Amino acid sequence: MELTNSFAGLDLRAEIERLRKERNAVILAHYYQKPELQDLADFVGDSLDLSRKAQATDADVIAFCGVRFMAETAKILSPDKIVVLPDMDAGCSLEDSCPPDQFAAFRAAHPDHIALTYINCSTEVKALSDVIVTSSSAETILAQLPRDQKIIFGPDRNLGGYLQRKTGRELLLWPGVCIVHEAFSETELMKLKAQNPGAPVAAHPECPAVILDHADYVGSTRGILEFANAMPGETLIVATEPHIIHQMEKAMPLKNFIGAPGADGNCNCNICPYMALNTMEKLYVALRDLTPRIEIEEGLRVKAKKSLDAMLSMASATVGQGDLGPTPFRVVPVTGD
Ligand code: 13P
Ligand code: SF4
């Protein structure tokens, strides 16, 4: 997005504070956002917690510091709110890897499968899906599906592969990847481990299996933060987008957090280029002008909401690992109408 405004002499923080009150706005931010955006947000969280906040808020405006699929999720769940995204170009490589027409054809070719779909996808793909999952809810939700249920999992083949290995369930995988988590280097990670003997590795399941094989903990961004808090040692190697380290350093100033490296030996190649598009200046403009605004056609929104509602109710269920409980969740596959 081209910004033609001049911000010279503006106290952006104070202006954002003023507009937040004037607009009755809530600022939601993902852990991968720049520290200054995380610091002024009303709530910082992982994809599931951000969805829940977006659904529950009584604000009139949601300013979403994250990527477009997250802001669209907020709009699907809270259609009466104005949802602004500081930069509308903040997409996601996983979303890009799953064009809706190709996904629809894939579904049609496997009519006996349901679609369990990672939240990192377009609204159109959500509308073609039966149940959405986030990295923090995927195992809980999968455990509620009958073992004989055939399942398509997309768009992240790494998260899908991790779920297959962890649960022993067979999933038909869509071949999408996150460019950020694909960029970690196993060789450099092994060097870093050797330099920090005994330091555990916490990794996001969007990482490929060669990285996850070295991890002591695999989980969502919130899960990684909880692991960092609970671990007895002082040093943690973090294999996910490095802006999460800001929250770790704030909450645990006495511990030492090292971003896992890419092939060049440092963690800067693992900064998400889409998340990085959001800035203080763009947030200020978004709150001032209430644009760029997320708009979703109502029929599409209603279809997409079904799979998100299924996620929200199933994510709250307390089901043990692999324990289907007495009444497994029977999903009737969505049809193409
Ligand atoms: P979580 O924050 O839900 O773990 O997801 C990470 C992510 O992919 C954001 O793009
Ligand atoms: Fe998408 Fe990866 Fe960026 Fe998350 S980190 S928004 S999955 S490209």
Side-chain angles (χ1 to χ4, degrees):
M1 185 177 70
E2 191 71 24
L3 277 183
T4 49
N5 296 280
S6 164
F7 302 102
L10 259 192
D11 179 344
L12 281 174
R13 231 195 130 82
E15 284 299 302
I16 289 168
E17 276 314 328
R18 178 179 66 76
L19 287 166
R20 177 188 352 226
K21 288 195 192 87
E22 254 176 55
R23 301 289 195 202
N24 186 27
V26 65
I27 300 173
L28 304 181
H30 189 265
Y31 293 122
Y32 295 167
Q33 289 290 280
K34 296 180 204 302
E36 59 268 30
L37 292 173
Q38 292 189 36
D39 286 349
L40 54 72
D42 295 285
F43 180 78
V44 188
D46 72 0
S47 308
L48 180 62
D49 292 335
L50 288 166
S51 305
R52 286 175 166 149
K53 283 284 170 195
Q55 189 184 40
T57 185
D58 55 10
D60 296 318
V61 174
I62 299 172
F64 213 115
C65 297
V67 289
R68 198 173 50 236
F69 77 79
M70 295 178 174
E72 286 180 359
T73 298
K75 184 70 181 176
I76 294 166
L77 295 172
S78 280
D80 299 334
K81 316 279 178 208
I82 292 172
V83 179
V84 290
L85 178 65
D87 193 318
M88 208 46 112
D89 290 336
C92 170
S93 65
L94 277 169
E95 173 176 344
D96 293 345
S97 69
C98 192
D101 55 337
Q102 292 176 26
F103 190 71
F106 190 64
R107 282 226 62 176
H110 302 94
D112 53 345
H113 285 61
I114 62 162
L116 190 64
T117 307
Y118 193 30
I119 196 165
N120 299 35
C121 65
S122 64
T123 299
E124 288 78 3
V125 168
K126 287 183 177 75
L128 290 164
S129 301
D130 298 292
V131 187
I132 300 299
V133 301
T134 62
S135 52
S136 60
S137 61
E139 281 177 65
T140 305
I141 290 174
L142 186 56
Q144 291 167 73
L145 298 173
R147 284 205 85 90
D148 61 351
Q149 174 67 64
K150 293 183 176 167
I151 301 170
I152 290 171
F153 187 88
D156 187 6
R157 69 165 184 222
N158 289 333
L159 174 58
Y162 169 73
L163 290 169
Q164 292 196 118
R165 293 191 298 281
K166 182 95 193 273
T167 67
R169 303 273 305 248
E170 199 183 315
L171 303 171
L172 186 56
L173 299 183
W174 183 268
V177 291
C178 160
I179 51 167
V180 172
H181 290 86
E182 277 282 303
F184 290 115
S185 155
E186 186 190 14
T187 312
E188 293 299 322
L189 178 60
M190 284 165 69
K191 276 193 214 161
L192 190 63
K193 283 185 78 158
Q195 288 158 9
N196 295 275
V201 175
H204 197 279
E206 289 174 15
C207 293
V210 287
I211 299 296
L212 298 181
D213 284 348
H214 296 283
D216 300 274
Y217 174 81
V218 178
S220 73
T221 49
R222 168 161 50 86
I224 291 174
L225 273 160
E226 287 167 0
F227 177 82
N229 199 28
M231 70 175 191
E234 281 172 11
T235 302
L236 178 66
I237 298 172
V238 181
T240 192
E241 213 272 2
H243 283 114
I244 193 176
I245 291 176
H246 176 62
Q247 286 298 320
M248 293 173 171
E249 288 174 341
K250 268 174 83 171
M252 297 156 260
L254 300 179
K255 291 185 180 177
N256 179 28
F257 302 103
I258 310 172
D264 64 352
N266 76 57
C267 70
N268 288 339
C269 68
N270 304 107
I271 289 176
C272 174
Y274 307 99
M275 292 274 184
L277 288 173
N278 294 328
T279 61
M280 292 279 280
E281 287 81 3
K282 291 176 193 171
L283 174 61
Y284 162 70
V285 172
L287 282 168
R288 186 191 67 190
D289 301 348
L290 296 182
T291 183
R293 207 183 277 202
I294 302 285
E295 306 285 3
I296 301 172
E297 188 274 318
E298 183 59 9
L300 176 65
R301 186 192 73 79
V302 169
K303 278 189 189 164
K305 186 169 182 291
K306 277 192 194 160
S307 58
L308 278 168
D309 284 344
M311 171 188 83
L312 290 169
S313 70
M314 293 175 83
S316 305
T318 47
V319 179
Q321 198 53 59
D323 168 15
L324 294 180
T327 50
F329 190 96
R330 272 279 161 208
V331 176
V332 182
V334 289
T335 54
D337 59 351

